[in-house]
Amino acid sequence: MDNQSLLEHIKTKHLSEIIDAYEEYQYLNVIIKPEFIRNIISYLRDDPNLKFEMLVDLVSIDYSKYPEKKLGRFGLVYHMKSLTHNHRVAIRVFLPEENPEIDSIHDLYKNANWLEREAWDQMGIRFRNHPNLKRILNHKDFVGHPLRKDYPIDRRQWLSEPDDLMDEMEKRLKEKGIILRRG
């Protein structure tokens, strides 16, 4: 399926949710309204003619210093690939400067759990209904989000207490009937 056919197929079910679409470097980009992210992503995954089984990456962008005006300060790009049909698409959303928030898709793609946490940690974008939205690259007491364009790069922050991911690991082990003994 070429990009034009792919876009037409998506439009048949989700025309009102699409803001714009374009092809860049032979890659279809579809800009959608953020409130419909779960509808679109579910459709791309579940439709037998599309079968985007893989969320390749989730990228967050701060457009505050970008030369061209965008629909919001922050952008998210969901890179999707169909292994069955060998086609790709980038789903793009824009979020406002104040309270950048969108629904989580962690239950649709397992890797979205970590990708959303990275976007939260580095850019400050909140994912509604994420099961454990906490920092993964910065320490838990870190103030701010270092990939934002207005974050002061010379700011130093003292790591006072280490954090681990044992809360998440213990939960998964317990679900499998394994009790971890410490000490």
Side-chain angles (χ1 to χ4, degrees), residues 11-153:
K11 281 182 172 178
T12 59
K13 294 280 186 180
H14 298 279
L15 181 62
S16 65
E17 300 166 19
I18 296 172
I19 296 172
D20 195 10
Y22 59 93
E23 189 174 309
E24 188 174 58
Y25 305 112
Q26 301 177 344
Y27 209 94
L28 176 62
N29 289 266
V30 181
I31 303 170
I32 66 164
K33 298 173 185 173
E35 61 269 28
F36 297 109
I37 189 66
R38 289 186 57 83
N39 290 353
I40 294 278
I41 297 290
S42 296
Y43 175 71
L44 293 173
R45 185 191 66 173
D46 299 338
D47 185 283
N49 295 315
L50 301 177
K51 292 192 80 155
F52 284 94
E53 303 102 336
M54 179 184 274
L55 173 64
V56 177
D57 203 357
L58 171 56
V59 179
S60 60
I61 305 156
D62 183 349
Y63 287 107
S64 62
K65 308 258 186 219
Y66 202 71
E68 298 171 23
K69 179 92 174 137
K70 295 293 182 181
L71 298 172
R73 175 178 173 177
F74 299 104
L76 287 173
V77 185
Y78 298 78
H79 293 275
M80 317 278 299
K81 179 174 180 158
S82 170
L83 300 172
T84 303
H85 301 298
N86 195 29
H87 46 229
R88 294 174 177 257
V89 68
I91 301 298
R92 296 176 173 269
V93 297
F94 291 95
L95 302 171
E97 181 168 355
E98 295 298 320
N99 195 25
E101 188 174 72
I102 191 165
D103 288 335
S104 172
I105 62 163
H106 78 277
D107 55 330
L108 302 176
Y109 293 94
K110 285 187 174 184
N111 63 333
N113 185 320
W114 283 88
L115 296 170
E116 289 175 352
R117 287 169 69 169
E118 181 181 4
W120 155 246
D121 190 5
Q122 298 294 296
M123 199 66 77
I125 296 171
R126 291 197 160 278
F127 292 86
R128 286 184 292 265
N129 300 317
H130 189 284
N132 191 12
L133 197 60
K134 69 179 201 179
R135 293 187 180 275
I136 58 173
L137 299 173
N138 293 298
H139 60 84
K140 68 179 184 180
D141 296 326
F142 193 90
V143 177
H145 305 282
L147 288 186
R148 286 188 174 192
K149 299 291 185 192
D150 55 359
Y151 183 84
I153 59 171

